[in-house]
Amino acid sequence: MKTTTNFFTLLFITAVLSTTLSCKQENKNPEKEDIHKSATFEELGQMNRDFAKAMNARDAHTAASLYDENASILPPNEPMVTGRANIEAYMQGFLDAGYVEGSSTTTDASSDGNLGYETGTFLIKMKGPDGTIIEETIKFIELLKRNEEGKWMSIYGMWSSNEPMPTE
């Protein structure tokens, strides 16, 4: 009987030690662990700074690459646009419609793990029908998700004008 008790005691101690040691193993991939920590204000604002840079270079492809493959944008007074290829086509249309240049300013940003948001303003310069440059400031919000490489990608983007609604 004593042999059986010793065997079960030894088995129990082995199980406890095994469980304890497996819980305390070092992370063999520390860069993966870093992906889950919150991002800085600066990191979250980079997506829109890169977007402005791409649009100013008249590169709709690079601008769209800042959006997740299945992202959606919600432009004002238009239907939702879903999918990176459709976002690229939308951005190309925006460039073709007279986009001259723009700049982004982040006003708020935060994250919790791999999800984050950024709000801000975007100053847009467009060429009007008569060739004059029209400036407009819009406000935006981006819902961001960190991809496997640690880069923040937009999964939803929405913006609207600061100008009052036109009256007829």
Side-chain angles (χ1 to χ4, degrees), residues 26-38:
E26 270 188 50
N27 183 358
K28 292 183 170 95
N29 199 352
E31 62 276 359
K32 286 288 186 187
E33 184 177 287
D34 290 345
I35 287 176
H36 298 289
K37 63 182 188 178
S38 292

Side-chain angles (χ1 to χ4, degrees), residues 54-74:
M55 291 296 282
N56 292 345
R58 306 196 58 74
D59 186 351
H61 179 76
T62 298
S65 75
L66 300 166
Y67 289 85
D68 182 78
E69 188 65 40
N70 299 305
S72 294
I73 56 173
L74 295 88

Side-chain angles (χ1 to χ4, degrees), residues 4-61:
T4 305
T5 304
N6 286 342
F7 173 75
F8 284 116
T9 303
L10 183 60
L11 184 63
F12 175 76
I13 291 171
T14 303
V16 169
L17 284 174
S18 174
T19 302
T20 304
L21 290 174
S22 68
C23 290
K24 295 196 176 225
Q25 284 184 348
E26 270 188 50
N27 183 358
K28 292 183 170 95
N29 199 352
E31 62 276 359
K32 286 288 186 187
E33 184 177 287
D34 290 345
I35 287 176
H36 298 289
K37 63 182 188 178
S38 292
T40 66
F41 186 87
E42 192 69 21
E43 288 172 309
L44 293 165
Q46 190 62 49
M47 180 264 167
N48 268 299
R49 287 190 302 278
D50 290 344
F51 177 81
K53 183 178 178 181
M55 291 296 282
N56 292 345
R58 306 196 58 74
D59 186 351
H61 179 76

Side-chain angles (χ1 to χ4, degrees), residues 123-138:
L123 175 63
I124 297 176
K125 294 181 183 179
M126 298 283 292
K127 190 178 288 187
D130 62 356
T132 61
I133 302 299
I134 302 164
E135 287 188 14
E136 183 176 1
T137 299
I138 63 166

Side-chain angles (χ1 to χ4, degrees), residues 74-78 90 94 120-126 134-141 157-166:
L74 295 88
N77 307 313
E78 295 183 59
Y90 182 90
F94 200 74
T121 58
F122 202 94
L123 175 63
I124 297 176
K125 294 181 183 179
M126 298 283 292
I134 302 164
E135 287 188 14
E136 183 176 1
T137 299
I138 63 166
K139 56 193 165 290
F140 68 84
I141 183 164
M158 185 174 193
W159 65 94
S160 63
S161 174
N162 283 341
E163 299 296 316
M165 288 291 292

